[in-house]
Amino acid sequence: MSDAFFRYWPAIIAGIVGAAIPRRDSTKLRAGLGFIAAFLVFSIQALWPEDASAAHAVASEWPHLLNVLIFLPLLGAAAVLFMPRQLLGLLRGFTLGVLGLGFALSLMLLTVPMTTGWHFVSIHEWIPAMGVRWHVAVDGISLWLILLTTFMTPIAVYAAFGSIKTRIKEFCFAFLLLQGAMLGAFVSLDLFQFYMFWELMLVPMYVMIGIWGGADKVKASVKFFLYTMAGSMLMLAAIVYLVWTHQKLTGTWTFDYLALSRVVLPGPSAAAGGWNNAWQVTKSPQGLCFWAFSIAFFIKVPMWPLHTWLPDAHVQAPTGGSVILAAVMLKLGTYAYMRFSMGLFPGPASSFAANLAGIAILGGIIYGALVAWKQQDVKRLVAYSSVAHLGYVMLGLFGVSPSGMQGAVLQMVNHGVSTGALFLLVGVIYDRRHTRMVDEFGGLAKQMPIYAALFLIVTFASIGVPGTNGFVGEFMVIMGTYTSERLSTFSGIHTIGASAGVILAAVYMLGVTQKIFFGPLTNPKNKHLPDLTVRETLAVAPLIVMIFVIGFFPSIFLDRMKDAVQLEYNQFKNASEQSIRFGDEKNAQMLPEDNFAPEFLRGAPGFKEEKPADDDKQARGEGEAQ
Amino acid sequence: MEALKSQFPAANFSLLAVVLLLPLLGAFVNGIFGKRLGKQGVRLMALSAIGGSFLASLLTFLMLPRGEAAEEGGHLAWNAWHWFTITGKMQQAIPIDVSFAIDGLNATMMLVVTGVGFLIHLYSSEYMWKDEGYHRFFAYLNLFCFSMLVLIMADNLALLFVGWEGVGMCSYLLIGFWFGETKNASAGRKAFIVNRIGDFGLLVAMSMLVYYLGTLRFSSIDLAATNLSVPVKIWPIGNLSADTLPSFVAAVILPKEPVMVYASTLVGLALFLGCAGKSAQLPLYIWLPDAMAGPTPVSALIHAATMVTAGVYLVARMGAVFILSPAAMATVAVVGAATALFAASIGLFQHDLKKVLAYSTVSQLGFMFIGVGMGAFASGFFHVFTHAFFKACLFLGAGSVIHAMHVRIHDTDKSQDMRNMGGLRKYLPITHATFLISCLSIAGVPPLAGFWSKDEILWKAFSNEIAAPRTVNGLVPWAWPTWLGVAIYWVGIVAATMTAFYMFRAYFLTFHGDFKGWTIVRGWTDPHAGHGHDDHHDAPHDDVKGDGPEPHESPLAMTIPLMVLAAFALLAGFLNAELIHVAPLGHLLEGVFKADEVAVHERAAAHGKEMMMLVPGILAFVAGIGAAAYVYLQNKGAQETAFAKSFPRLYKLIYDKWRIDELYEATVIGMVDALADIFQMADTWIVDGILAKLSAAIVGAAGTVLRAFQTGKVQAYSASMVIGLAGVGWFLVRPHAVTSIDDTKLKQTGEVVVSAAPGFGYSYNWAGPGLAPTSDFSATREITIPLQPGDKKDVVLQVKNAFNGVDTQTITVARPGKKAAAPTPGANPMDDLAPGGKVVIPGDKIPDLLRGLHQ
């Protein structure tokens, strides 16, 4: 007990300071802030990267953890259906309870060292006739996106309960379903399963925009749905083709990502310029499947020119929906590109790298920022700023350098935290004034000082001022861009373009902050706006703290992802070389297993490790239904 | 001392934590609990934080390694924690730590930042007393000191960047401190954005350093810098080449030889872009004059003494990189000289006291860049040091004057206008004395601090020569022409003359002559009592020429800092008076710059002329002060009015700061703005138009067409039914010879079964090799054709239906030769394992496989 006290005294002090912060006398607020402060300091201490020598004994992995994480909200959603709609307190409490429990459980993912390879693997036969399996696992990359999801959803739901007053039951149902689907998509390693969750995710979000949205909600929700669906159809076709080819080559049906990543589809014709001719690459089965997958993901990211659904969806979505959409759902696009497009089609991903990076810079970082600058609606502005920020993420992925990819993953988390916070904060003035037009505001800092201060902090995070989270990610991406081998002669000009983006970020974010908060308070409607409520403060506080935690202690995050990123990097490098050098223009091939790290293939159907598995691996293999 | 040394070993000098964390703690406490603490509490917190930090800095300074250890680059280091790791070229892991290293250079800077910082905190605690944002002000000010300390103490460029942007952010917050006025908020934003343009350069420089040197630590950069001597192709970029461009474009934009530049030059220029942004050099100086919208102590601390000199510090820190590139050095020196002259010229005719000081700061920063650009790092840094004192003193003096003016004039602009001042020396004796000392110092009057540092820079500009680095890969480095240093020297002399002139113009206008603010009435009381002196809102009752009380000297908390700073402005020069060989500071810095100054030599022609070249410098201040005294003391500014009358346009142009802001507005900003507008339109009409609206329109149109058939009218439906039935009827009336071939037994028995489709009243007639020739139609629907390997047979089928219509079809059946026997459908392609373990399906087998799939 006293040991624990001496080890964790900073957390206790942080808790006391946190509780002392609010000036308003609200026990709830004090307790909430105190808990948040103490919990975060405790987490930092507990998660501080340790030397290899001091690493704990490897904790055993509970193989059902991921299943529980996915099915807890799904079952919760089902349970909500059986609750009376009049008992609002029960509905709200239950939903928050389920999501909170999910967050607590997801912290268990941090208890094991994130070494190379898959963790918390759980494999079950599902539809054996088609070779479809239930295959879930995390590595250092998806780990952070799962935690981001379980962290952001309770916050979004908690904040949303403040502003959403109609159809609470349906709202709870939709949110729980969404949570399950998003988590499922992040951990699926079976393409069938992934596709199912990918599509399932759309439904609750579609409903959410369509029911609780703004004036033009139906149009926006349909646009959102159709846009995403169009991409998904392409991906489905490519999945089927890939699975079929695999069956032809090996005789077994499987949708397993690990097994399918060995397939090398026919490449471009060498006579017509081969891999140097972008059109030939596109025309080849490899290129077509790459684009079919990637367009589905680029729509979700969204990348220019497939981004126009995003501003509409964001403007119409309710605050909670916007937060989840921006913080988590867009990350599925970037994550899926990283995992599936790069994993399954390394050849085209490598040969298009410089071009795609150019699109990410010109279309995302620069175009997105300039268009954001011209927006009158704050939510539209934040939506376009997402296009710009995700441009950095995509640039990091296209460049395929270890720094760039780590930066990209970190930037995914960063964008989730800071843009989520921005949407929450924009929701605050929308709830009060029912408008988000910048011209309606001005001089709010006098009237709402706490709100202004928090908004300014998030603004600086979004701009990427060092010390906040945005900086580390952007910095790593920019450094990765210059050192990238993939971008070769373009790396210099790409670096300049990406760095120029930091100027534009300041231009549009500071512009909107100034228009809302500074200058004289002229609009009489703004003269009596109340500052943040207890609920709003408690919802934003964890995000604000996270901004600084990631900014100052990024190694907590980077240390746990670096092995996974390194594995992906090595594999991409090797597999792209293999498929470019040996890829046949007519015939599909299987890359031999020794092209892949055994840690990567472990769990693939039919994969047998050569050396006898030790105890640890056996424990992990128990779930496999081979 | 020994006990301290064992407590804080040089390799783990955790005392630095105290230096850093106290201001941070102050910022946190004041920012969050400030309102509850009350003003006294805030003052105590802020002052003790920065004061404690100063004491710790002093201790650090005293504990610096001395003697030989210092000359070998000994320093105090403290590694706080591991920040993150990036990966460079060839998978090299580059750790980026939150770690600090202190040598003579930044220990001196620490003393300046915390020392001058403390004085300015003390001053502000009185100056800002009546402001409602008192706690907010001190939170920002403490945060600024923290960021500035991070900037100067960092041992790597990434951590320096934290401080670099941190001070920019604090500057933004403090310039826009009175955010109620749009003008102030805009000035803050402008400062931040212009600084960001510089930061862009810094980011690019860092990525190049990571690539070429694999490190961002200053000590490692110093060691590895020569790796930057590699030629880099800067044009054509990307894959631009004669192959990828249309020939007429290629002929225009592609040079015969690719344009190559040394990486050191690129890094140097990119770094200098960052420095130019932060230190307000051409072309990025435009934010600094606007930054005077902040409270005056802020102008003193941030925009004169500390933050704006960060660029000079960085060039000095990165000296090892700069000396590799005479071109980058020349850029620094020439930009510095141009800025010194240009800003001084704007300063000549400004009416706003703070604006004069602002342009003077820009100009003095130019001098510092001349110093570091000429390879005289220590001299450039020494000017940073002395400038911190006299410029802070001048700004605080101006603040004291404004404080006095605020008794009656509440408008910010009017209270700073020198045309409303005059004769203040009898009302503000202490302010007057300290202001005069600082003016003399900045004008370069010996033996004041400014004389030593400015003279040293000009002499070095005259005498130094940068040796060209060795040639790598045949790319001849740019050589430093001998006349350049001399030209910079003379530009510096002209700028120094102007400095003396405009500083004394400001001095005479403010402190001499008659008071012009209002008619002084003894015992006058403000009828609008309740307005604080720092109430910066436009007060409508500001009738400038009305009655008012005597301007009064500021309280002690404001005058003590003035006196201390004036003392330093008077005496600090003797810390590095090279001319008379009293140079303890120079000695301290020797170890820091020893390695950097190897490429810097004294020109042979300049040898021994040190005393001679002093004369123009002395003449400069004599002429400047004399002219100012003649015009403004003797003739009350008559000549200025005459000049304005005879050259109204030139006068206006200079007064409008050469209209550079307007130029930028029309060019760069206008272009970006137009581009953003175009993008915005394109986004709505082209991107969204084509992808969403057009595709929706196509689907919609298809729906509209199809809808035309769904009229709901029974007549229309029955009509189409009749047409359909007629079509089916016609189909039935016609005979159709359709066959299907079953070759499953081909491999075993060599037989193919051909069967014809049945129909109403059909009879069939088969003809072909191996079949009995017949002209009759029979009911035989199916025939079996035996085939030998390599056989190919044509079978003719005739079909007659009940209406005696006849249809004919020819079927070809074949059996491949033995060697090319068709594989068993569904056979395992694993049999065809290619060597090397790769599974290959030959392309010609794919159709067979396909067929197998369908069965």
Side-chain angles (χ1 to χ4, degrees):
Chain A
M1 185 61 205
S2 61
D3 274 3
F5 178 80
F6 281 115
R7 181 158 155 72
Y8 293 115
W9 63 268
I12 295 164
I13 291 184
I16 295 169
V17 172
I21 284 175
R23 258 194 301 148
R24 180 173 14 191
D25 206 21
S26 154
T27 321
K28 189 177 163 194
L29 188 59
R30 281 189 198 285
L33 289 182
F35 173 73
I36 290 166
F39 182 72
L40 275 153
V41 174
F42 170 78
S43 312
I44 293 171
Q45 280 186 292
L47 296 177
W48 195 258
E50 289 175 56
D51 300 335
S53 57
H56 295 296
V58 178
S60 62
E61 296 174 1
W62 183 38
H64 298 298
L65 180 59
L66 294 176
N67 300 336
V68 171
L69 279 178
I70 297 171
F71 282 105
L72 186 71
L74 291 181
L75 292 176
V80 162
L81 294 178
F82 294 95
M83 292 181 188
R85 62 169 62 249
Q86 290 81 5
L87 293 181
L88 297 180
L90 175 68
L91 284 168
R92 288 177 180 151
F94 178 76
T95 310
L96 280 177
V98 167
L99 294 172
L101 183 61
F103 175 61
L105 284 174
S106 68
L107 291 177
M108 275 176 67
L109 292 170
L110 294 170
T111 54
V112 298
M114 268 295 149
T115 48
T116 312
W118 306 105
H119 296 268
F120 296 98
V121 183
S122 169
I123 302 177
H124 298 279
E125 287 298 332
W126 187 5
I127 313 176
M130 281 159 56
V132 174
R133 301 190 307 169
W134 175 270
H135 184 177
V136 293
V138 292
D139 63 356
I141 297 166
S142 48
L143 166 75
W144 293 112
L145 297 166
I146 294 167
L147 285 167
L148 176 70
T149 312
T150 55
F151 175 70
M152 289 303 297
T153 323
I155 292 172
V157 171
Y158 179 69
F161 283 152
S163 52
I164 287 190
K165 302 289 178 209
T166 54
R167 297 176 186 256
I168 300 291
K169 184 171 165 178
E170 287 82 351
F171 188 77
C172 294
F173 175 77
F175 243 110
L176 288 169
L177 184 63
L178 183 62
Q179 168 84 342
M182 291 188 304
L183 289 173
F186 277 130
V187 297
S188 296
L189 289 183
D190 187 280
L191 288 183
F192 184 90
Q193 187 196 356
F194 169 74
Y195 184 79
M196 183 192 78
F197 282 122
W198 174 271
E199 293 289 83
L200 181 61
M201 219 164 47
L202 285 184
V203 180
M205 185 48 82
Y206 167 75
V207 169
M208 219 180 282
I209 300 174
I211 293 182
W212 296 279
D216 230 356
K217 57 192 179 186
V218 176
K219 196 179 150 205
S221 61
V222 171
K223 190 173 182 179
F224 160 74
F225 197 94
L226 289 183
Y227 233 117
T228 324
M229 194 75 189
S232 308
M233 288 296 117
L234 292 175
M235 174 169 67
L236 182 62
I239 291 176
V240 171
Y241 181 73
L242 197 62
V243 169
W244 175 76
T245 312
H246 181 266
Q247 195 271 341
K248 286 301 112 194
L249 292 170
T250 63
T252 46
W253 290 99
T254 183
F255 280 78
D256 197 87
Y257 160 67
L258 308 180
L260 293 177
S261 47
R262 286 179 52 206
V263 176
V264 181
L265 294 175
S269 133
W275 289 95
N276 295 323
N277 185 328
W279 174 239
Q280 290 298 326
V281 179
T282 303
K283 248 176 32 171
S284 67
Q286 233 182 93
L288 286 174
C289 286
F290 169 77
W291 282 115
F293 268 77
S294 302
I295 286 176
F297 304 146
F298 290 166
I299 288 176
K300 200 78 154 192
V301 170
M303 249 180 90
W304 186 90
L306 306 169
H307 62 276
T308 54
W309 64 270
L310 185 73
D312 288 348
H314 267 315
V315 167
Q316 299 305 330
T319 301
S322 281
V323 172
I324 291 303
L325 185 59
V328 186
M329 283 181 81
L330 304 187
K331 304 303 146 6
L332 269 154
T334 50
Y335 162 78
Y337 179 83
M338 187 172 190
R339 176 126 295 154
F340 297 115
S341 284
M342 284 168 68
L344 294 172
F345 314 106
S350 171
S351 73
F352 291 132
N355 303 357
L356 286 171
I359 295 179
I361 291 166
L362 288 175
I365 296 173
I366 293 180
Y367 177 96
L370 285 176
V371 177
W373 186 28
K374 288 288 157 184
Q375 299 305 317
Q376 287 302 308
D377 184 316
V378 189
K379 256 190 158 179
R380 271 193 103 80
L381 185 144
V382 181
Y384 277 106
S385 84
S386 291
V387 176
H389 281 144
L390 290 167
Y392 279 106
V393 176
M394 293 314 286
L395 176 64
L397 296 182
F398 293 142
V400 202
S401 57
S403 287
M405 287 160 77
Q406 282 190 33
V409 177
L410 191 67
Q411 192 67 359
M412 290 184 210
V413 178
N414 291 339
H415 176 260
V417 170
S418 48
T419 308
L422 270 180
F423 275 121
L424 279 181
L425 289 170
V426 174
V428 168
I429 43 170
Y430 183 72
D431 284 346
R432 285 163 178 59
R433 284 286 324 278
H434 295 285
T435 179
R436 287 179 301 257
M437 292 299 153
V438 199
D439 297 340
E440 289 279 319
F441 301 100
L444 285 194
K446 272 237 152 55
Q447 187 59 34
M448 306 169 76
I450 301 173
Y451 178 58
L454 295 185
F455 201 103
L456 211 57
I457 291 175
V458 180
T459 299
F460 281 122
S462 183
I463 294 174
V465 170
T468 63
N469 57 359
F471 170 69
V472 185
E474 277 178 20
F475 183 79
M476 292 186 80
V477 169
I478 291 172
M479 297 300 129
T481 305
Y482 198 81
T483 49
S484 163
E485 302 145 22
R486 209 61 51 183
L487 302 176
S488 62
T489 52
F490 288 92
S491 61
I493 189 77
H494 281 342
T495 307
I496 290 174
S499 310
V502 303
I503 306 171
L504 296 175
V507 172
Y508 66 80
M509 279 315 293
L510 291 185
V512 69
T513 337
Q514 181 181 342
K515 281 184 207 147
I516 295 181
F517 295 104
F518 303 145
L521 183 64
T522 44
N523 192 334
K525 288 183 196 154
N526 296 333
K527 291 224 162 109
H528 302 288
L529 294 183
D531 212 333
L532 291 186
T533 63
V534 173
R535 179 185 290 274
E536 286 156 353
T537 318
L538 283 181
V540 183
L543 300 179
I544 301 284
V545 185
M546 279 311 285
I547 284 174
F548 293 111
V549 170
I550 303 179
F552 283 108
F553 313 110
S555 52
I556 293 177
F557 302 81
L558 296 170
D559 255 49
R560 283 177 173 73
M561 74 171 76
K562 67 170 192 251
D563 290 335
V565 168
Q566 192 64 42
L567 176 70
E568 166 130 16
Y569 170 79
N570 292 339
Q571 204 145 292
F572 182 86
K573 199 173 161 183
N574 181 37
S576 62
E577 272 168 24
Q578 293 287 339
S579 58
I580 286 176
R581 201 176 303 162
F582 302 112
D584 196 302
E585 63 187 76
K586 280 199 188 129
N587 304 310
Q589 301 178 31
M590 292 291 278
L591 284 182
E593 278 175 357
D594 56 17
N595 272 308
F596 296 86
E599 293 92 345
F600 174 77
L601 284 182
R602 188 176 298 139
F607 173 73
K608 291 188 185 55
E609 243 175 304
E610 280 165 17
K611 59 179 180 185
D614 55 29
D615 292 349
D616 167 34
K617 282 167 193 159
Q618 258 171 3
R620 206 176 292 156
E622 272 172 9
E624 299 180 20
Q626 288 295 309
Chain B
M1 205 63 179
E2 285 309 312
L4 274 174
K5 272 191 178 150
S6 61
Q7 177 70 36
F8 300 114
N12 185 22
F13 196 75
S14 49
L15 182 64
L16 298 180
V18 179
V19 179
L20 284 165
L21 289 181
L22 277 175
L24 188 64
L25 180 74
F28 181 80
V29 170
N30 281 341
I32 289 176
F33 303 105
K35 260 197 179 158
R36 273 166 282 179
L37 285 176
K39 283 185 179 172
Q40 289 293 359
V42 169
R43 177 204 285 231
L44 183 67
M45 182 68 234
L47 286 180
S48 52
I50 188 74
S53 185
F54 173 69
L55 292 178
S57 302
L58 197 61
L59 209 53
T60 308
F61 187 85
L62 294 175
M63 288 170 74
L64 271 181
R66 307 271 152 185
E68 276 183 31
E71 281 184 18
E72 282 157 19
H75 56 267
L76 304 169
W78 179 55
N79 189 345
W81 71 82
H82 174 61
W83 199 15
F84 56 95
T85 306
I86 55 176
T87 315
K89 200 163 56 169
M90 313 299 285
Q91 301 286 305
Q92 177 194 12
I94 303 167
I96 310 269
D97 293 338
V98 179
S99 58
F100 305 91
I102 306 301
D103 57 13
L105 177 64
N106 48 12
T108 318
M109 270 304 256
M110 276 164 71
L111 284 182
V112 173
V113 170
T114 52
V116 176
F118 176 77
L119 293 174
I120 292 174
H121 272 68
L122 178 65
Y123 180 96
S124 321
S125 70
E126 191 61 45
Y127 186 84
M128 299 297 289
W129 186 254
K130 289 183 183 161
D131 198 281
E132 50 183 301
Y134 196 71
H135 65 288
R136 196 162 55 89
F137 181 83
F138 280 100
Y140 293 164
L141 216 55
N142 273 343
L143 188 62
F144 168 79
C145 288
F146 167 74
S147 307
M148 190 68 206
L149 287 167
V150 171
L151 194 166
I152 53 178
M153 289 159 68
D155 90 330
N156 63 66
L157 205 49
L159 186 61
L160 177 139
F161 196 67
V162 175
W164 188 270
E165 290 241 305
V167 290
M169 185 183 76
C170 296
S171 162
Y172 164 81
L173 293 168
L174 283 165
I175 295 170
F177 182 72
W178 290 306
F179 55 78
E181 278 180 52
T182 311
K183 181 173 73 87
N184 301 346
S186 295
R189 185 163 59 105
K190 183 174 174 184
F192 195 88
I193 290 171
V194 175
N195 267 301
R196 271 257 151 164
I197 297 175
D199 297 348
F200 151 77
L202 217 49
L203 273 175
V204 173
M206 278 194 272
S207 58
M208 293 191 74
L209 288 171
V210 163
Y211 183 77
Y212 288 103
L213 304 187
T215 181
L216 289 176
R217 287 175 65 108
F218 296 124
S219 50
S220 318
I221 289 174
D222 286 349
L223 295 175
T226 44
N227 291 345
L228 282 171
S229 288
V230 281
V232 182
K233 186 172 79 168
I234 57 165
W235 186 259
I237 50 167
N239 63 351
L240 294 184
S241 70
D243 301 336
T244 56
L245 287 171
S247 55
F248 66 94
V249 180
V252 177
I253 65 169
L254 289 185
K256 283 209 179 63
E257 293 284 314
V259 182
M260 307 291 274
V261 171
Y262 277 106
S264 53
T265 305
L266 292 180
V267 173
L269 291 179
L271 281 172
F272 182 58
L273 181 66
C275 299
K278 188 76 35 192
S279 294
Q281 295 298 289
L282 283 173
L284 299 178
Y285 73 96
I286 47 165
W287 65 272
L288 186 58
D290 287 23
M292 298 300 132
T296 308
V298 170
S299 311
L301 179 60
I302 302 186
H303 305 123
T306 55
M307 181 183 90
V308 288
T309 59
V312 186
Y313 170 77
L314 183 61
V315 176
R317 218 358 125 209
M318 299 294 288
V321 172
F322 277 94
I323 51 157
L324 288 174
S325 169
M329 293 284 273
T331 311
V332 174
V334 168
V335 169
T339 310
L341 186 67
F342 181 80
S345 75
I346 299 177
L348 290 178
F349 298 128
Q350 295 299 312
H351 295 306
D352 185 315
L353 179 56
K354 279 180 78 179
K355 282 269 159 71
V356 173
L357 295 178
Y359 282 105
S360 139
T361 306
V362 176
S363 172
Q364 294 300 309
L365 288 166
F367 276 100
M368 298 170 203
F369 277 106
I370 294 177
V372 289
M374 296 302 301
F377 299 109
S379 315
F381 177 72
F382 184 49
H383 201 55
V384 169
F385 184 71
T386 56
H387 177 257
F389 299 118
F390 57 69
K391 188 50 68 65
C393 184
L394 285 169
F395 264 113
L396 294 185
S400 178
V401 168
I402 294 164
H403 184 254
M405 296 296 287
H406 263 295
V407 175
R408 189 67 187 84
I409 304 178
H410 302 296
D411 179 67
T412 317
D413 289 338
K414 287 180 190 160
S415 67
Q416 291 169 197
D417 195 326
M418 290 187 292
R419 285 170 298 189
N420 291 331
M421 301 173 184
L424 288 174
R425 74 173 184 276
K426 55 179 179 263
Y427 304 111
L428 308 170
I430 303 174
T431 308
H432 165 250
T434 55
F435 199 91
L436 178 60
I437 291 170
S438 303
C439 276
L440 289 169
S441 187
I442 194 173
V445 178
L448 276 66
F451 165 76
W452 298 109
S453 56
K454 191 189 282 182
D455 172 73
E456 181 71 15
I457 286 175
L458 290 176
W459 161 243
K460 286 283 164 66
F462 184 78
S463 66
N464 272 8
E465 191 176 44
I466 313 293
R470 67 198 171 87
T471 304
V472 179
N473 287 355
L475 178 63
V476 180
W478 185 83
W480 183 278
T482 33
W483 54 264
L484 192 60
V486 182
I488 289 173
Y489 171 83
W490 286 109
V491 171
I493 294 289
V494 174
T497 317
M498 287 182 172
T499 305
F501 177 79
Y502 67 71
M503 281 318 299
F504 273 86
R505 169 177 176 268
Y507 167 74
F508 288 131
L509 284 177
T510 309
F511 291 100
H512 288 263
D514 304 320
F515 185 67
K516 298 182 276 293
W518 57 81
T519 318
I520 292 170
V521 178
R522 279 173 200 283
W524 185 87
T525 49
D526 192 347
H528 305 273
H531 276 285
H533 68 273
D534 47 8
D535 182 3
H536 279 248
H537 296 292
D538 285 288
H541 63 278
D542 271 350
D543 47 331
V544 176
K545 300 298 172 200
D547 297 343
E550 268 184 41
H552 57 83
E553 180 61 285
S554 304
L556 212 54
M558 286 169 68
T559 47
I560 289 174
L562 285 176
M563 291 185 276
V564 176
L565 289 169
F568 273 98
L570 202 59
L571 302 171
F574 293 104
L575 288 174
N576 195 27
E578 298 266 2
L579 213 55
I580 51 171
H581 305 292
V582 181
L585 182 68
H587 189 66
L588 187 71
L589 296 177
E590 246 168 42
V592 181
F593 296 122
K594 199 171 65 177
D596 301 346
E597 288 178 349
V598 286
V600 183
H601 309 291
E602 196 180 72
R603 276 189 308 129
H607 190 70
K609 293 189 182 162
E610 195 161 3
M611 285 302 165
M612 200 172 88
M613 297 320 290
L614 213 56
V615 178
I618 291 172
L619 285 179
F621 80 77
V622 172
I625 297 176
Y630 176 71
V631 176
Y632 297 98
L633 194 60
Q634 192 120 20
N635 294 322
K636 314 275 180 221
Q639 279 81 1
E640 186 184 325
T641 327
F643 177 79
K645 278 208 178 113
S646 31
F647 305 102
R649 289 191 162 192
L650 181 62
Y651 181 81
K652 190 85 175 60
L653 187 65
I654 296 175
Y655 181 71
D656 287 344
K657 313 148 199 168
W658 300 101
R659 303 211 183 96
I660 296 292
D661 274 318
E662 287 79 357
L663 179 72
Y664 284 161
E665 190 73 46
T667 53
V668 182
I669 302 172
M671 260 155 40
V672 175
D673 197 60
L675 191 66
D677 279 330
I678 292 168
F679 280 174
Q680 161 64 17
M681 303 277 274
D683 203 63
T684 318
W685 297 108
I686 298 177
V687 178
D688 199 37
I690 289 176
L691 274 169
K693 299 200 176 83
L694 185 66
S695 55
I698 291 171
V699 174
T704 312
V705 170
L706 290 176
R707 194 168 57 199
F709 296 101
Q710 307 294 322
T711 56
K713 288 182 185 149
V714 180
Q715 294 90 329
Y717 289 171
S718 55
S720 56
M721 201 158 80
V722 168
I723 294 169
L725 280 175
V728 172
W730 178 245
F731 180 82
L732 289 176
V733 166
R734 299 296 309 152
H736 300 280
V738 180
T739 55
S740 60
I741 301 166
D742 179 8
D743 59 357
T744 43
K745 290 187 188 132
L746 185 68
K747 208 165 188 182
Q748 287 93 0
T749 61
E751 285 178 341
V752 176
V753 181
V754 181
S755 47
F760 177 63
Y762 277 17
S763 50
Y764 309 90
N765 178 17
W766 300 91
L771 293 175
T774 166
S775 58
D776 288 345
F777 285 87
S778 68
T780 315
R781 269 186 56 214
E782 202 174 83
I783 54 165
T784 305
I785 304 166
L787 287 168
Q788 296 303 317
D791 269 6
K792 189 176 169 190
K793 289 181 180 172
D794 285 344
V795 181
V796 179
L797 166 68
Q798 282 187 303
V799 175
K800 187 159 78 176
N801 72 352
F803 305 100
N804 274 336
V806 176
D807 189 28
T808 309
Q809 200 202 353
T810 307
I811 311 113
T812 307
V813 287
R815 184 174 175 185
K818 255 196 174 131
K819 276 176 190 163
T824 317
N828 191 350
M830 294 295 272
D831 301 343
D832 294 5
L833 262 183
K838 284 206 178 75
V839 180
V840 181
I841 305 179
D844 55 353
K845 280 190 194 169
I846 287 183
D848 294 319
L849 293 171
L850 267 170
R851 199 179 312 142
L853 184 74
H854 293 309
Q855 277 162 1

